[in-house]
Amino acid sequence: MAQSLCKLYVHVIFHIKTNSPIILTEDLGRMHAYIGQLTNQIGCKIIKVGGVEDHIHILLTLSRTDNIAHVVEELKRNSSRWIKSLGKHYRMFSWQNGYGAFSVSQSVVNKTVEYISLQHEHHMKHSFKKEYISLLNLYNVEYDEKYLFND
């Protein structure tokens, strides 16, 4: 019997809706851990989860039988439902509709892990918008800026 072998690293980013409450500092670690757990349950392998109060970065290896759209849909749906259970602050919590997903070469996995780990420091200097557009440009993703940050 033939065996399907693959290892695809993907860096996923998604942001909260404009009118959503932020993720409180004291809940960030729990949110990252929960998303990591969900990622593994879906059949992908989590490498690193990080981010700040308004967006999440995830480095994962994609399951050989799933697609990124389904994985992100499951992560957003389940993490949104979970965080609402933490209290009234999150009653109106919601992720934006879109997401970014970028392939990562094995040779830069460690660099990507470090980048995700240093999100707090990174966003003391750079806005999410600047970061996201920089990644889109780095990966030569065509986009229309008027649609990028819509809920």
Side-chain angles (χ1 to χ4, degrees), residues 12-31:
V12 178
I13 305 168
F14 46 88
H15 195 277
I16 63 173
K17 282 192 174 182
T18 306
N19 63 350
S20 178
I22 63 168
I23 304 167
L24 299 174
T25 303
E26 60 265 25
D27 294 325
L28 274 173
R30 292 170 67 191
M31 174 61 95

Side-chain angles (χ1 to χ4, degrees), residues 6-52:
C6 66
K7 190 168 196 177
L8 302 173
Y9 290 96
V10 182
H11 180 183
V12 178
I13 305 168
F14 46 88
H15 195 277
I16 63 173
K17 282 192 174 182
T18 306
N19 63 350
S20 178
I22 63 168
I23 304 167
L24 299 174
T25 303
E26 60 265 25
D27 294 325
L28 274 173
R30 292 170 67 191
M31 174 61 95
H32 298 163
Y34 189 76
I35 287 177
Q37 206 175 11
L38 284 173
T39 303
N40 289 332
Q41 287 173 358
I42 292 168
C44 298
K45 182 180 177 210
I46 194 65
I47 307 299
K48 182 69 180 171
V49 181
V52 293

Side-chain angles (χ1 to χ4, degrees), residues 13-135:
I13 305 168
F14 46 88
H15 195 277
I16 63 173
K17 282 192 174 182
T18 306
N19 63 350
S20 178
I22 63 168
I23 304 167
L24 299 174
T25 303
E26 60 265 25
D27 294 325
L28 274 173
R30 292 170 67 191
M31 174 61 95
H32 298 163
Y34 189 76
I35 287 177
Q37 206 175 11
L38 284 173
T39 303
N40 289 332
Q41 287 173 358
I42 292 168
C44 298
K45 182 180 177 210
I46 194 65
I47 307 299
K48 182 69 180 171
V49 181
V52 293
E53 65 277 347
D54 63 356
H55 69 280
I56 296 290
H57 289 258
I58 306 162
L59 180 61
L60 57 83
T61 56
L62 190 61
S63 160
R64 65 182 179 79
T65 59
D66 214 337
N67 67 65
I68 196 63
H70 178 254
V71 169
V72 173
E73 176 186 351
E74 289 297 304
L75 294 176
K76 289 167 76 172
R77 185 172 56 85
N78 286 301
S79 63
S80 179
R81 184 181 311 143
W82 171 80
I83 201 165
K84 288 175 182 174
S85 73
L86 296 183
K88 290 181 183 179
H89 173 77
Y90 296 112
R91 187 178 68 231
M92 300 300 289
F93 183 87
S94 189
W95 297 111
Q96 283 185 329
N97 294 325
Y99 64 91
F102 308 96
S103 60
V104 175
S105 168
Q106 174 72 54
S107 64
V108 294
V109 165
N110 290 338
K111 185 176 179 180
T112 306
V113 167
E114 181 179 356
Y115 176 77
I116 293 171
S117 297
L118 296 174
Q119 279 295 292
H120 180 73
E121 293 81 1
H122 177 74
H123 286 290
M124 291 178 164
K125 300 175 189 165
H126 306 286
S127 69
F128 172 75
K129 183 176 181 176
K130 182 177 180 179
E131 172 188 48
Y132 196 61
I133 289 173
S134 293
L135 284 167

